[in-house]
Amino acid sequence: MTPKSLRKDTIMTGRALGYDEAGEGPVLLLVHGFPLDRTMWAEQISGLSDIRRVVAVDLRGRGKSPETGDGWTVDDYADDVAATIDSLGVDKVDLAGMSMGGYVVLAAWRRHPDKIRSVILINTKAEADSEEAKDAREKTAALVREKGTVELVNGLFPKMFAPSARDAVKDKVKTMFEDTPSETAAADALVMKDRPDSTSDLGSINVPTLVIQAEEDSIMSVDGSKGMAANISGARFATVPSAGHMAPVENPEAVNRAIREFLDGIED
Ligand code: MLT
């Protein structure tokens, strides 16, 4: 399926946020994980643009979103998502997020529910960090500031994949790790550390919802994601075989199939 169009490197006015997009029709907006950028969704842009205007945005501070800073919050990232929706000239989107992107989607649901037609949560969770995880985030932020994102390549990177992940997939993700400015990676770590628990918000989600979880993800669990889906009224749940945390890149066919089946069932 060839995308109808691929308009790259668009920078919106106002807060400068870069995005790639292809296709026409209702918008499917994709929010990347940590420490990643919009390019993780290349296979979703090409694979789903026959049924949606697929847009992959760079949250502030990476990719084509040039701002730098710190002291950001998950609510700031949710507001980036809302600004993107406004800039696209649409009222509502199908909103998908992977991992940290899922934390952002849940924050967007709290802050901008009227802009969300459906929710897709991929390899993510609703719970806040434990005290131990918060300590680890502080250490990550300090380490990355001091030594650069190469520290994440040494530490987090190997946990991102199923054992069978292809070298080309790993190389692509490694490039995203390396291209994320260390200041932004540190800011992300603290955004995640301070994000609130979203568990009590799950019951308020009253739009169609799909939860996707990769079977070989060593960062998020199938049982955890199943539990999250069970707390969202009417949510569908799909697993992705032969993939780890980077499922949209490792097994895009299965991820796209699950999203396509879900979106096909949504009425405009
Ligand atoms: C991500 O992939 O976005 C992060 O690994 C999520 C996290 O560390 O909680």
Side-chain angles (χ1 to χ4, degrees):
M1 279 157 229
T2 313
K4 286 190 187 117
S5 60
L6 180 54
R7 298 184 285 275
K8 280 197 163 188
D9 299 348
T10 308
I11 302 284
M12 286 180 277
T13 53
R15 179 178 294 283
L17 298 171
Y19 60 89
D20 290 341
E21 69 163 301
E24 285 161 24
V27 172
L28 167 62
L29 179 58
L30 305 167
V31 187
H32 58 77
F34 163 82
L36 307 166
D37 59 47
R38 72 191 191 291
T39 62
M40 67 160 282
W41 300 112
E43 298 289 339
Q44 282 66 47
I45 290 185
S46 60
L48 294 167
S49 56
D50 60 321
I51 57 163
R52 284 292 186 275
R53 179 182 176 194
V54 188
V55 178
V57 68
D58 282 324
L59 294 171
R60 63 182 69 183
R62 72 212 81 210
K64 298 289 175 188
S65 299
E67 187 175 351
T68 53
D70 59 17
W72 297 333
T73 67
V74 75
D75 285 352
D76 292 330
Y77 290 178
D79 292 351
D80 288 351
V81 166
T84 305
I85 295 169
D86 290 343
S87 295
L88 293 169
V90 297
D91 293 333
K92 283 178 189 266
V93 299
D94 301 303
L95 184 59
M98 177 258 174
S99 201
M100 182 181 77
Y103 309 155
V104 175
V105 169
L106 290 170
W109 174 258
R110 272 194 297 279
R111 294 172 71 76
H112 308 286
D114 50 325
K115 294 184 189 294
I116 302 175
R117 181 180 38 233
S118 74
V119 166
I120 303 173
L121 298 165
I122 304 171
N123 293 354
T124 191
K125 63 183 175 189
E127 293 84 11
D129 277 358
S130 64
E131 287 310 313
E132 194 187 350
K134 284 181 197 283
D135 286 349
R137 300 281 195 203
E138 292 277 5
K139 288 189 183 117
T140 299
L143 199 61
V144 166
R145 276 207 188 95
E146 193 191 328
K147 298 195 169 160
T149 44
V150 68
E151 285 302 319
L152 296 172
V153 177
N154 296 335
L156 174 65
F157 183 77
K159 301 182 192 143
M160 301 291 273
F161 308 98
S164 61
R166 287 172 289 120
D167 285 347
V169 164
K170 291 185 181 170
D171 287 349
K172 183 181 162 100
V173 175
K174 191 167 177 210
T175 300
M176 285 184 249
F177 269 58
E178 288 170 346
D179 286 353
T180 301
S182 44
E183 199 179 358
T184 298
D188 281 352
L190 300 179
V191 161
M192 292 191 284
K193 167 190 164 248
D194 292 329
R195 76 186 191 279
D197 193 293
S198 298
T199 312
S200 63
D201 298 313
L202 298 177
S204 73
I205 300 179
N206 59 359
V207 295
T209 299
L210 170 66
V211 175
I212 297 177
Q213 180 57 53
E215 289 176 359
E216 297 178 50
D217 187 343
S218 59
I219 297 176
M220 306 289 173
S221 76
V222 171
D223 283 350
S225 287
K226 245 185 212 159
M228 179 166 65
N231 282 314
I232 304 172
S233 174
R236 290 172 67 147
F237 180 70
T239 54
V240 177
S242 310
H245 197 54
M246 290 306 305
V249 189
E250 292 178 78
N251 192 347
E253 297 80 13
V255 169
N256 289 358
R257 198 175 316 117
I259 295 175
R260 178 181 294 274
E261 283 171 15
F262 169 70
L263 292 178
D264 277 349
I266 294 177
E267 294 185 10
D268 293 325

